[in-house]
């Protein structure tokens, strides 16, 4: 079986387990010997041939879990220093209940250290010789991994895993007390401090490994600040525990000194009397009534020859005889106070150990506090770095506008745009982020961000997915404040704008012709700059961009997608499906330019029809005449408003009305003259008054989809 690298969580390995189970089931059915041991055999094979990728999710997850475990263990170890306490009758002992709880949690932490060692034996590493280019080649051989680990970090990890405090607290100290009949001095402190060093050496490389793999310890700035504060609290916790144990040691040292001085007295002093287990014995009671040890080793006694120095506060405040939780919180506060003030408030004696302790405290406090402030400032500033950059940019803009003496209304427009852009983007340059990503990933992101919005544009809704992907990949966001002129009539068009939010006013004067003005409102789903599409679809189009036939101005704050000229040209050349009839009809229907042309064309045709009809009605109404055969001819208006053909009237009727014959002839001549005058007036009016005509609007250039 070949070894494999697993770069996914353990849940993704279940199919391998099932395949191994199936394989072993077949083997067991053939000979019948492995049926009972099949699950155990599967687990052994799965672990034996599993090599973990150091950059995989499961290794990254384990590193974070183990980092938290290391921090907890570093908090647990100094708790052993709080186990000794001073009794009421000049004796000292340890708290058994607290020691049991601390040992239990310490053992659980040791198990995590043991699991970390096993993980390292099964984690691949990058060969140093392959780091010349790229990530490097992973070494998958289990033997090479084990040999490299044994030669590098195994000793430190093994020393950090040993249960030394448990052995000392439950075996070494009881044996020492039975043989020497006294306290074990600082043996426990030395053992814990010895193991604290390798545990620190484990946590710092682990920290660097997580940063190298993921780039950060905490995902948010607040989490990073809390992490650094936790490390500072850890240092204060260790300092307070060390101060408490040193205070207990200082008290015990005074007692032993006085006890040795009274060994020749009566009743003699014995080191057994310093253990609280001897309380109640007759000899100890006699000695306690006669001894001066309690008075001379009392930290509250200023006349005592023994100087407690900075450790006196542990006994004057009765910290050493308090409950476990009380003395822990007090010592933690003591550590925080003196670590932050570099030990300036401490009053020390001439005891060399106390002086060295204060020197280490001062130097360590200075370093740790400076590191805390620096890291906290870095993490907290990262939260407001964009805001600070925007504030500085806004200040520079204000100074520049004042220096150039811009008018107040123009300054206000600049302020509105800067403010609106900040609200929309929060100071993030989206284009630079996308350009730094691979092409396929950038395409997927653009599709996720733009596709649903682009489909809201009816013109885009007619396109297929492949064409939409190509367009989404090249769309860029465009923000405009109220009153911004996006296009001006006659200026070159360098992009098509597809409205997502807001309203715009699109107007035209048809090249400045007098008496002509057309205006429409563009809403979400509309687009402008369609002259660019006509230019892009021409295979041999010139480098000169087309001129805008409309003036486009924002009525509100507008968010839109812009498709630049070079990108539109590329899409038009690469994709041949733009010549579809459905897309042509969609372009004509939703194009404001085509809508304006169609409306003006219909209006001009209607006006021509009305003018011809009016002229015809005037001519017919005045066309009464008499023919040479003696019949009077006229046209009668029908019910539908039109005039029928000529109708003849007999002369008998005219003879009956002979007296009106002269008047009729005169009326006929007057009608003929009136007709000629009306025709001449209409012609003069047509040639002299051009304002009565509908201005001729040229049909917009139709994109030639067939040439694509």
């Amino acid at each position: 079986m070949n070894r494999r690298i697993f770069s996914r969580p353990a849940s993704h390995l279940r199919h391998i387990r099932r395949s191994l189970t199936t394989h072993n089931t077949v083997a067991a059915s053939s000979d019948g010997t492995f049926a009972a041991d099949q699950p155990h055999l599967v687990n052994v094979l799965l672990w034996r041939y599993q090599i973990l990728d150091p950059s995989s999710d499961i290794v990254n997850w384990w590193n974070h879990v183990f980092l938290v475990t290391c921090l907890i263990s570093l908090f647990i170890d100094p708790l052993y220093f709080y186990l000794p306490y001073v009794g009421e009758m000049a004796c000292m002992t340890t708290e058994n209940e607290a020691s049991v709880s601390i040992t239990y949690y310490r053992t659980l932490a040791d198990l995590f250290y043991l699991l970390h060692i096993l993980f390292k034996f099964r984690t691949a590493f990058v060969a140093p010789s392959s780091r010349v280019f790229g990530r490097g080649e992973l070494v998958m051989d289990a033997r090479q991994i084990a040999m490299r680990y044994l030669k590098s970090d195994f000793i430190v990890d093994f020393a950090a895993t040993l249960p030394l405090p448990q052995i000392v607290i439950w075996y070494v100290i009881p044996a020492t007390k039975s043989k020497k009949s006294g306290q074990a001095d600082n043996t426990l402190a030395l053992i814990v401090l010895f193991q604290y060093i390798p545990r620190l050496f484990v946590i710092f490389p682990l920290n660097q490994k997580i940063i190298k793999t993921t780039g950060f310890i905490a995902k948010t700035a607040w989490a990073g600040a809390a992490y650094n504060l936790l490390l500072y609290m850890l240092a204060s916790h260790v300092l307070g525990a060390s101060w408490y144990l040193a205070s207990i040691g200082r008290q015990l040292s005074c007692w032993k000194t006085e006890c040795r001085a009274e060994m020749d007295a009566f009743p003699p002093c014995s080191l057994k009397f310093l253990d609280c287990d001897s309380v109640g014995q007759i000899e100890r009671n006699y000695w306690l009534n006669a001894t001066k040890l309690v008075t001379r080793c009392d930290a509250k006694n200023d006349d005592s020859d023994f100087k407690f120095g900075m450790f006196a506060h542990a006994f004057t405040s009765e910290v050493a005889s308090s409950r476990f939780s009380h003395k822990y919180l007090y010592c933690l506060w003591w550590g925080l106070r003196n670590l932050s003030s570099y030990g300036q408030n401490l009053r020390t004696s001439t005891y060399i150990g106390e002086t060295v302790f204060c020197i280490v405290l001062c130097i360590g406090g200075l370093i740790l506090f400076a590191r805390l402030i620096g890291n906290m400032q870095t993490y907290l500033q990262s939260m407001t770095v964009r805001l600070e950059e925007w504030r500085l940019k806004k200040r520079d803009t204000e100074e520049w506008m004042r220096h150039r003496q811009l008018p107040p209304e123009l300054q206000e427009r600049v302020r509105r745009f800067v403010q609106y852009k900040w609200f929309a983007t929060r100071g993030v340059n989206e284009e630079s982020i996308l350009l730094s990503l691979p092409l396929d990933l950038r395409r997927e992101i653009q599709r996720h961000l733009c596709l649903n919005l682009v489909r809201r544009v009816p013109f885009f809704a007619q396109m297929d997915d492949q064409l939409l992907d190509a367009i989404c990949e090249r769309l860029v966001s465009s923000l405009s404040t109220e009153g911004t002129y996006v296009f001006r009539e006659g200026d070159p068009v360098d992009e098509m704008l597809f409205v997502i939010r807001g309203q715009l006013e699109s107007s035209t004067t048809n090249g400045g012709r007098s008496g002509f003005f057309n205006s429409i409102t563009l809403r979400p789903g509309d687009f402008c700059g369609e002259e660019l599409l006509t230019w892009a679809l021409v295979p041999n189009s010139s480098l000169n961009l087309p001129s805008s036939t409309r003036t486009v101005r924002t009525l509100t704050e507008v968010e839109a997608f812009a498709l630049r000229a070079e990108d539109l040209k590329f899409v038009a050349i690469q994709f041949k499906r733009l010549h579809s009839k459905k897309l042509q009809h969609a372009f004509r229907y939703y194009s404001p330019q085509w809508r304006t042309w169609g409306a003006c064309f219909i209006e001009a045709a209607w006006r021509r029809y009305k003018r011809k009809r009016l002229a015809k009605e005037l001519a017919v109404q005045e066309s009464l005449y008499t023919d040479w055969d003696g019949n009077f001819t006229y046209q009668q208006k029908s019910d539908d408003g039109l005039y029928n053909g000529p109708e003849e009237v007999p002369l008998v009727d005219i003879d009956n009305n002979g007296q009106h014959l002269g008047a009729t002839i005169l009326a006929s001549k007057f009608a003929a003259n009136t007709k000629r005058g009306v025709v001449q007036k209409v012609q003069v009016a047509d040639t002299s008054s051009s304002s009565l005509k509908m201005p001729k609007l040229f049909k917009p250039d139709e994109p030639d989809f067939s040439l694509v």
Side-chain angles (χ1 to χ4, degrees):
M1 180 182 294
N2 296 327
R3 296 181 175 87
R4 299 179 60 186
I5 296 181
F6 296 92
S7 59
R8 296 184 178 180
S11 60
H12 294 266
L13 305 176
R14 294 173 182 171
H15 67 283
I16 301 178
R17 183 188 181 102
R18 288 195 295 267
S19 62
L20 290 175
T21 304
T22 306
H23 175 73
N24 290 334
T25 303
V26 176
S29 61
S30 61
D31 51 28
T33 57
F34 302 125
D37 299 334
Q38 177 182 342
H40 174 70
L41 186 60
V42 170
N43 293 331
V44 171
L45 290 175
L46 183 62
W47 172 251
R48 181 177 180 182
Y49 293 101
Q50 179 178 350
I51 302 298
L52 301 175
D53 187 349
S55 61
S56 62
D57 295 338
I58 187 172
V59 174
N60 186 27
W61 173 82
W62 170 254
N63 288 336
H64 282 84
V65 171
F66 186 64
L67 178 62
V68 175
T69 305
C70 290
L71 293 176
I72 295 175
S73 65
L74 291 178
F75 268 96
I76 291 176
D77 287 350
L79 295 179
Y80 282 106
F81 293 172
Y82 295 103
L83 295 180
Y85 74 95
V86 177
E88 298 180 355
M89 304 176 66
C91 66
M92 191 174 296
T93 186
T94 58
E95 298 186 15
N96 292 327
E97 294 182 0
S99 62
V100 172
S101 301
I102 296 173
T103 302
Y104 173 76
Y105 291 109
R106 163 69 195 232
T107 304
L108 291 180
D110 292 341
L111 293 178
F112 278 87
Y113 278 90
L114 182 60
L115 289 176
H116 185 64
I117 292 178
L118 298 179
F119 259 86
K120 281 196 170 183
F121 273 113
R122 309 306 301 178
T123 303
F125 66 94
V126 179
S129 59
S130 63
R131 295 177 181 173
V132 179
F133 179 77
R135 176 188 173 186
E137 183 180 356
L138 291 176
V139 177
M140 300 176 290
D141 185 67
R143 180 179 177 83
Q144 295 183 17
I145 296 173
M147 293 300 298
R148 179 179 180 272
Y149 178 53
L150 290 174
K151 293 178 181 179
S152 57
D153 300 333
F154 177 75
I155 300 299
V156 177
D157 293 342
F158 181 75
T161 309
L162 292 176
L164 296 181
Q166 296 94 310
I167 296 175
V168 171
I169 196 69
W170 295 105
Y171 296 101
V172 176
I173 290 181
T176 304
K177 290 173 59 177
S178 61
K179 291 182 180 180
K180 296 185 179 180
S181 302
Q183 294 297 319
D185 296 335
N186 293 330
T187 304
L188 180 61
L190 294 176
I191 294 298
V192 173
L193 288 178
F194 168 76
Q195 199 172 26
Y196 216 75
I197 296 175
R199 294 208 167 188
L200 286 176
F201 275 104
V202 168
I203 193 173
F204 288 115
L206 180 64
N207 192 4
Q208 296 298 325
K209 185 183 296 184
I210 294 176
I211 294 176
K212 183 179 179 180
T213 304
T214 62
F216 51 83
I217 290 292
K219 293 183 178 180
T220 62
W222 282 110
Y227 175 72
N228 284 273
L229 182 61
L230 183 63
L231 294 180
Y232 190 78
M233 293 282 293
L234 175 61
S236 303
H237 166 63
V238 175
L239 180 62
S242 302
W243 172 77
Y244 176 80
L245 186 63
S247 302
I248 296 295
R250 193 67 173 153
Q251 179 71 74
L252 184 61
S253 177
C254 180
W255 285 350
K256 286 186 176 181
T257 301
E258 295 297 329
C259 185
R260 290 190 181 96
E262 294 180 357
M263 282 185 179
D264 297 334
F266 185 82
C269 177
S270 176
L271 295 178
K272 293 181 180 180
F273 297 160
L274 303 179
D275 192 351
C276 290
D277 292 340
S278 63
V279 175
Q281 295 179 3
I282 300 177
E283 296 85 356
R284 190 181 189 281
N285 293 335
Y286 283 134
W287 167 79
L288 187 62
N289 293 329
T291 185
K292 297 181 180 179
L293 179 143
V294 178
T295 305
R296 293 178 178 177
C297 293
D298 189 3
K300 300 178 182 179
N301 186 10
D302 296 334
D303 298 332
S304 175
D305 296 334
F306 193 87
K307 302 299 180 182
F308 285 89
M310 67 175 186
F311 304 115
H313 206 60
F315 306 102
T316 57
S317 301
E318 298 182 355
V319 178
S321 57
S322 301
R323 296 174 56 184
F324 184 86
S325 58
H326 294 175
K327 62 185 177 183
Y328 167 73
L329 293 176
Y330 183 89
C331 294
L332 179 61
W333 169 82
W334 188 93
L336 281 172
R337 182 188 65 177
N338 290 280
L339 195 64
S340 303
S341 62
Y342 317 133
Q344 296 179 4
N345 299 325
L346 296 177
R347 295 181 180 180
T348 62
S349 63
T350 57
Y351 177 57
I352 187 172
E354 186 177 352
T355 306
V356 172
F357 185 87
C358 290
I359 293 174
V360 174
L361 170 61
C362 183
I363 297 176
L366 179 62
I367 296 174
L368 292 176
F369 191 73
R371 180 177 178 83
L372 172 67
I373 295 301
N375 291 338
M376 291 282 287
Q377 185 179 8
T378 300
Y379 278 103
L380 294 180
Q381 280 183 349
S382 64
M383 299 175 57
T384 59
V385 60
R386 297 294 182 187
L387 182 61
E388 185 66 18
E389 290 178 357
W390 174 75
R391 189 185 66 82
L392 294 176
K393 184 177 180 180
K394 186 177 181 181
R395 186 192 64 183
D396 296 340
T397 304
E398 292 288 342
E399 293 180 356
W400 175 79
M401 289 190 299
R402 285 195 300 267
H403 176 69
R404 296 301 180 184
Q405 299 180 358
L406 297 182
E409 59 276 7
L410 196 56
Q411 292 185 20
E412 184 62 26
R413 289 184 59 187
V414 173
R415 294 189 190 99
R416 288 204 313 267
F417 176 77
V418 174
Q419 187 75 17
Y420 178 64
K421 188 174 182 181
W422 165 256
F423 286 147
T425 63
R426 292 297 177 183
V428 178
N429 190 353
E430 298 179 354
E431 292 187 22
S432 62
I433 295 176
L434 291 175
L435 290 176
S436 62
L437 299 176
L439 179 61
D440 182 66
L441 186 57
R442 184 166 66 245
R443 184 183 295 113
E444 292 295 329
I445 294 176
Q446 288 284 73
R447 178 182 178 88
H448 171 72
L449 296 176
C450 306
L451 186 60
N452 292 333
L453 296 176
V454 165
R455 287 188 183 277
R456 291 165 51 183
V457 179
F459 178 61
F460 284 151
Q462 312 297 329
M463 301 181 182
D464 56 9
D465 292 339
Q466 187 177 6
L467 189 56
L468 284 178
D469 289 341
I471 293 177
C472 288
E473 184 181 349
R474 291 161 176 84
L475 288 177
V476 294
S477 61
S478 176
L479 304 175
S480 302
T481 56
E482 181 181 355
T484 302
Y485 282 89
V486 181
F487 301 114
R488 292 181 184 269
E489 190 172 357
D491 291 347
V493 181
D494 58 350
E495 62 183 11
M496 286 187 69
L497 206 64
F498 303 92
V499 184
I500 302 301
R501 297 180 183 90
Q503 295 182 356
L504 302 93
E505 180 190 28
S506 177
S507 60
T508 180
T509 60
N510 193 23
R513 299 173 67 95
S514 61
F516 182 88
F517 180 79
N518 173 262
S519 176
I520 61 174
T521 301
L522 301 180
R523 294 179 173 83
D526 295 332
F527 58 91
C528 56
E530 60 271 18
E531 299 89 352
L532 198 63
L533 182 60
T534 305
W535 170 84
L537 289 176
V538 178
N540 298 323
S541 59
S542 62
L543 297 178
N544 297 328
L545 295 175
S547 298
S548 176
T549 59
R550 308 185 69 87
T551 298
V552 181
R553 185 177 65 91
T554 59
L555 300 177
T556 61
E557 294 177 345
V558 174
E559 298 180 17
F561 284 126
L563 188 60
R564 296 168 181 169
E566 57 273 12
D567 296 329
L568 182 58
K569 186 72 173 178
F570 175 81
V571 173
I573 294 175
Q574 294 296 324
F575 294 90
K576 307 298 183 181
R577 290 181 294 278
L578 289 176
H579 64 276
S580 64
K581 294 294 184 181
K582 189 176 182 180
L583 190 58
Q584 294 180 36
H585 294 161
F587 174 79
R588 294 173 183 173
Y589 182 79
Y590 294 106
S591 172
Q593 188 179 4
W594 272 80
R595 288 181 177 181
T596 302
W597 177 85
C600 293
F601 183 83
I602 294 174
E603 185 176 359
W606 173 252
R607 289 189 179 185
R608 289 194 302 270
Y609 170 75
K610 292 289 291 182
R611 187 168 57 249
K612 291 180 180 179
R613 181 173 178 177
L614 178 61
K616 185 176 180 180
E617 288 181 353
L618 291 176
V620 171
Q621 288 178 359
E622 305 298 337
S623 64
L624 298 176
Y625 63 91
T626 304
D627 56 5
W628 292 103
D629 295 335
N631 295 329
F632 180 71
T633 304
Y634 69 95
Q635 289 183 334
Q636 185 179 3
K637 187 175 182 180
S638 63
D639 295 336
D640 57 357
L642 300 178
Y643 288 90
N644 298 323
E647 183 175 340
E648 295 183 354
V649 180
L651 290 178
V652 178
D653 296 334
I654 299 178
D655 291 338
N656 295 333
N657 300 285
Q659 65 273 18
H660 298 294
L661 179 60
T664 303
I665 295 174
L666 292 176
S668 176
K669 293 181 179 181
F670 177 76
N673 294 332
T674 303
K675 179 180 178 181
R676 286 193 297 270
V678 169
V679 174
Q680 291 176 359
K681 289 180 180 180
V682 171
Q683 292 178 355
V684 171
D686 290 342
T687 57
S688 62
S689 180
S690 60
S691 60
L692 297 178
K693 281 189 174 183
M694 179 66 188
K696 184 178 181 181
L697 182 69
F698 294 100
K699 180 180 178 181
D701 295 333
E702 179 181 355
D704 193 355
F705 295 90
S706 62
L707 296 178
V708 179

